[in-house]
Amino acid sequence: MKDVVVKLIAEEVDFDICEIEGLLEVPPRSEMGDYAFPCFGLAKTLKKSPGVIAGDLALTFVKVLPKEIERVEASGAYVNFFIDKGIFARKVLGKDYGKKVLKNGKRIVIDMSSPNIAKPFGIGHLRSTIIGNSIARICEANGFEVVKINYLGDWGTQFGKIICAWKKWGSEEKLESDAIGHLQELYVRINATDEFDDECRLEFKKLESGDFENLALWKRFREMSLVKFQKIYDLLGISFDEVSGESLYNDKMDAVIFELKEKGLLIEDAGARIVDLDDVGLGKVLIQKSDGTSLYATRDLAMALDRKKVYDFDRAIYEVGAEQTLHFRQVFGILKKMGYAWADDLVHAAHGLYLDSDGKKFSTRRGKTVYMEDVLGEVVEKARGNLEARGDCDNLDERARRIALAAIFYGDLKNNREHNMVFDVDRFLSFEGDTGPYLLYSYARASSILRKIKFESKRQDIKYKDFGDLEFALIKKIDLFDNVVVKAYEDLSPNLIANYCFELAKDFNEFYHGCPVLGGESEAFRLEIVEVFRVVIKKGLDLLGIETLEEM
Ligand code: ARG
């Protein structure tokens, strides 16, 4: 409906559409209209007071009022527009929110999750998994084909250390019972001294040049880690189109180094090789160490070049912690210097940290390692406990899992991803307030009303009239959905969807308490509202990766 108002104004006022859209306000109270146009900006050119202009405009509009607008009024310096609620409701409730999205023919690859093997799955990797998954869904809802890639940290000098430590102190028994724990312990032990540094470097060099024994060990550690990680992905219900990692680019590094040299970008620096980005304020980037081994940045360069070839993407998104901001600026900066215009299509979608309730970084809590599967398991157990405490025991496992995931996903996604956030499981799990379970509950409530009367939608046949503020507020909120989905893509901000879902659920619950749905003259109309709310909130939650429950 906003477009109708904008069009009407554009015919009389010498502003362009975007300007008018920007100026148009939603008044704080419904008796002041549905939209208000402030006339202050016109005073100078028209050489009249804003109040007089508002009066003149209102008189002009009245003569050419489209049927969608019921009436206009001047009030002070504003022109207030009252839209025809019946027409509006018919339009909003008649839309097909469940329809398939038309593909726009463009492809996005998204780098997400990307934990490091032989190390515990970190809390930052959990954020990347949850946010990356939601961004992927939002891109799909905007018509893009999306390729989700888990780029494992499975290469680098740390594997020289782990292999070296394993050869010295490794225990088959411990490896079998807790692979990641044991490898982590070995890594910490060898890092505590510089005694073996040369040996470690040598082991990595051997690995990079294809030494049989080291490769076999590395492969084994990698597979064992993947089995562990897969358990987490299964619990989260998140999958990937490609699981690869830094190791995949080992044989493509020489080509990158050669190309950098050819393009005159590689500089010898005390035996090592660097690219100088000082001119763009990004410092010097180490590309090859003096012993010939590669670095994280070198592998990201090779990977970007390869991905462009394989997927021919229109955009590549890297969902990685904000602490890697400089790294990505450097990688993108080097690609740009190499002459690749598509370097502008690479985006680092950064996220902040999870904090403990004491404000410290979550993963360092009490100095010991937190295993992700334990953290997630605890949340599921708590959700189960909450259900049991209500004496509610049907299908307990699946319901506890969905409630726990809704709590965690929503608890994360409702925040601006770049901000740090407190990981507070008890608050996330609450059924009241701005939480995932509250949203699931609102959905289930709508579903249960409709189930009770075996509802079938008649959409177009019903009379949309004589309805009150609560109904109208909810319909207006529903109307915003499509715009929010677009905006969430533009800003790569799942929180816009999350916050919208919360606002929508709040309006629904107010409507539900204020307007008896069953019985009475408005039943058919109100049932339609409930149905459309149900469809829209399910879609919104789906964009966050949250599965709904028909019954809570
Ligand atoms: N494995 C890395 C880490 O845990 C994240 C990888 C992110 N993706 C990338 N293309 N660099 O820090």
Side-chain angles (χ1 to χ4, degrees):
M1 283 291 162
K2 191 175 175 183
D3 46 335
V4 179
V5 178
V6 171
K7 193 164 157 257
L8 178 67
I9 298 172
E11 274 160 21
E12 300 302 329
V13 172
D14 201 17
F15 283 159
D16 68 28
I17 300 280
C18 292
E19 239 171 322
I20 298 171
E21 270 180 3
L23 284 171
L24 214 54
E25 295 174 16
V26 175
R29 289 194 312 277
S30 61
E31 62 271 20
M32 298 161 79
D34 301 300
Y35 294 104
F37 182 69
C39 299
F40 306 102
L42 291 167
K44 217 168 166 188
T45 31
L46 297 180
K47 299 201 172 51
K48 285 188 218 167
S49 78
V52 172
I53 298 171
D56 291 351
L57 278 177
L59 283 177
T60 318
F61 291 149
V62 167
K63 290 183 207 135
V64 289
L65 219 52
K67 64 177 187 320
E68 290 91 345
I69 301 174
E70 196 183 80
R71 64 194 162 92
V72 288
E73 271 172 18
S75 167
Y78 288 85
V79 185
N80 294 338
F81 298 83
F82 296 79
I83 64 180
D84 185 295
K85 293 188 173 66
I87 296 180
F88 179 67
R90 182 179 291 276
K91 187 180 141 234
V92 175
L93 300 180
K95 253 209 258 176
D96 184 3
Y97 295 94
K99 74 167 183 283
K100 270 195 98 153
V101 186
L102 286 181
K103 289 253 177 283
N104 64 11
K106 294 192 173 155
R107 183 180 290 155
I108 290 179
V109 298
I110 173 157
D111 193 297
M112 55 182 277
S113 194
S114 310
N116 301 318
I117 68 164
K119 281 202 178 160
F121 190 101
I123 207 89
H125 302 121
L126 180 69
R127 281 209 90 179
S128 173
T129 311
I130 294 173
I131 300 171
N133 182 56
S134 178
I135 290 180
R137 283 160 181 262
I138 291 167
C139 292
E140 264 160 2
N142 279 278
F144 294 91
E145 182 205 335
V146 178
V147 184
K148 295 197 276 178
I149 302 178
N150 190 355
Y151 178 75
L152 300 168
D154 62 356
W155 207 249
T157 44
Q158 69 273 30
F159 292 99
K161 292 189 178 173
I162 293 169
I163 289 172
C164 184
W166 166 260
K167 287 180 180 172
K168 290 185 189 308
W169 313 300
S171 144
E172 270 302 328
E173 206 181 296
K174 284 188 182 168
L175 188 71
E176 283 304 328
S177 72
D178 174 15
I180 291 183
H182 185 46
L183 294 173
Q184 169 84 350
E185 176 197 319
L186 290 173
Y187 184 66
V188 169
R189 182 162 168 194
I190 199 132
N191 257 336
T193 156
D194 51 16
E195 196 186 333
F196 310 111
D197 281 6
D198 288 338
E199 260 176 85
C200 292
R201 263 195 291 277
L202 192 68
E203 296 292 2
F204 181 56
K205 190 139 176 66
K206 274 162 71 184
L207 182 66
E208 275 211 317
S209 40
D211 174 84
F212 189 75
E213 187 193 2
N214 283 9
L215 259 183
L217 279 174
W218 167 80
K219 219 181 230 154
R220 186 163 172 222
F221 299 157
R222 185 181 193 273
E223 266 154 31
M224 290 177 125
S225 310
L226 270 180
V227 169
K228 273 289 239 217
F229 296 162
Q230 192 53 46
K231 289 206 176 107
I232 297 170
Y233 297 132
D234 287 345
L235 178 66
L236 297 175
I238 290 179
S239 60
F240 306 94
D241 301 299
E242 179 189 311
V243 178
S244 59
E246 296 177 41
S247 65
L248 187 70
Y249 302 97
N250 187 31
D251 63 353
K252 298 186 175 64
M253 235 81 83
D254 289 346
V256 174
I257 290 170
F258 181 77
E259 190 179 334
L260 286 169
K261 208 188 290 169
E262 284 287 283
K263 292 184 171 164
L265 296 171
L266 209 61
I267 301 172
E268 295 283 337
D269 186 56
R273 285 149 163 188
I274 60 163
V275 172
D276 190 345
L277 292 180
D278 271 337
D279 59 330
V280 284
L282 294 173
K284 296 184 172 52
V285 189
L286 189 55
I287 296 293
Q288 194 175 35
K289 290 194 193 164
S290 51
D291 64 0
T293 51
S294 66
L295 290 108
Y296 184 49
T298 328
R299 292 187 283 278
D300 254 324
L301 287 171
M303 179 268 262
L305 291 164
D306 188 66
R307 258 185 211 175
K308 181 68 187 171
K309 239 184 252 156
V310 173
Y311 292 111
D312 190 26
F313 54 74
D314 293 280
R315 218 172 170 204
I317 299 168
Y318 297 75
E319 210 307 326
V320 186
E323 66 282 1
Q324 297 195 24
T325 299
L326 177 63
H327 164 77
F328 284 108
R329 285 209 183 127
Q330 291 177 330
V331 170
F332 302 166
I334 294 175
L335 289 165
K336 189 104 202 209
K337 265 204 178 316
M338 290 168 89
Y340 294 110
W342 51 264
D344 291 336
D345 306 328
L346 310 176
V347 210
H348 174 208
H351 61 249
L353 300 172
Y354 273 153
L355 304 177
D356 223 335
S357 39
D358 58 5
K360 295 224 177 70
K361 196 175 157 188
F362 189 81
S363 58
T364 56
R365 160 168 89 166
R366 277 169 257 116
K368 60 172 199 206
T369 316
V370 184
Y371 280 114
M372 188 54 60
E373 49 288 22
D374 296 342
V375 175
L376 297 174
E378 255 173 54
V379 186
V380 178
E381 274 319 303
K382 278 196 175 167
R384 171 198 278 275
N386 291 353
L387 285 173
E388 276 171 339
R390 297 194 327 194
D392 186 355
C393 299
D394 286 350
N395 193 13
L396 208 55
D397 288 341
E398 184 55 18
R399 284 162 68 221
R401 188 186 78 93
R402 288 201 193 185
I403 291 171
L405 290 186
I408 297 171
F409 285 22
Y410 184 80
D412 186 325
L413 295 171
K414 74 175 210 179
N415 305 289
N416 179 323
R417 66 175 153 71
E418 296 193 55
H419 295 170
N420 295 341
M421 53 162 287
V422 177
F423 191 80
D424 181 348
V425 171
D426 290 322
R427 192 164 50 85
F428 289 0
L429 273 172
S430 163
F431 272 56
E432 264 140 63
D434 191 5
T435 68
Y438 169 76
L439 298 182
L440 287 189
Y441 186 69
S442 308
Y443 171 83
R445 170 178 270 172
S447 274
S448 99
I449 308 168
L450 300 175
R451 201 172 42 243
K452 204 156 39 181
I453 60 136
K454 301 199 172 54
F455 174 74
E456 263 178 66
S457 171
K458 300 191 194 58
R459 290 285 164 91
Q460 300 303 338
D461 301 339
I462 52 167
K463 299 257 177 301
Y464 298 122
K465 55 174 195 145
D466 298 336
F467 50 90
D469 285 349
L470 294 174
E471 288 147 319
F472 194 50
L474 179 55
I475 293 172
K476 277 210 277 195
K477 198 55 65 54
I478 291 171
D479 182 47
L480 297 177
F481 181 65
D482 289 340
N483 281 338
V484 174
V485 175
V486 173
K487 189 90 176 80
Y489 167 70
E490 286 169 355
D491 299 355
L492 300 179
S493 291
N495 64 310
L496 298 181
I497 305 274
N499 303 155
Y500 170 81
C501 285
F502 177 57
E503 294 295 321
L504 181 68
K506 258 195 332 203
D507 282 350
F508 171 72
N509 287 315
E510 274 168 33
F511 154 79
Y512 180 83
H513 288 299
C515 310
V517 173
L518 300 180
E521 265 178 36
S522 302
E523 180 177 295
F525 170 53
R526 289 183 179 163
L527 282 170
E528 292 293 342
I529 302 183
V530 176
E531 164 66 4
V532 176
F533 161 75
R534 200 184 74 93
V535 172
V536 171
I537 194 153
K538 190 180 175 75
K539 272 217 116 172
L541 291 171
D542 183 63
L543 293 178
L544 304 177
I546 295 175
E547 291 172 279
T548 48
L549 280 166
E550 293 306 312
E551 278 171 271
M552 280 291 274

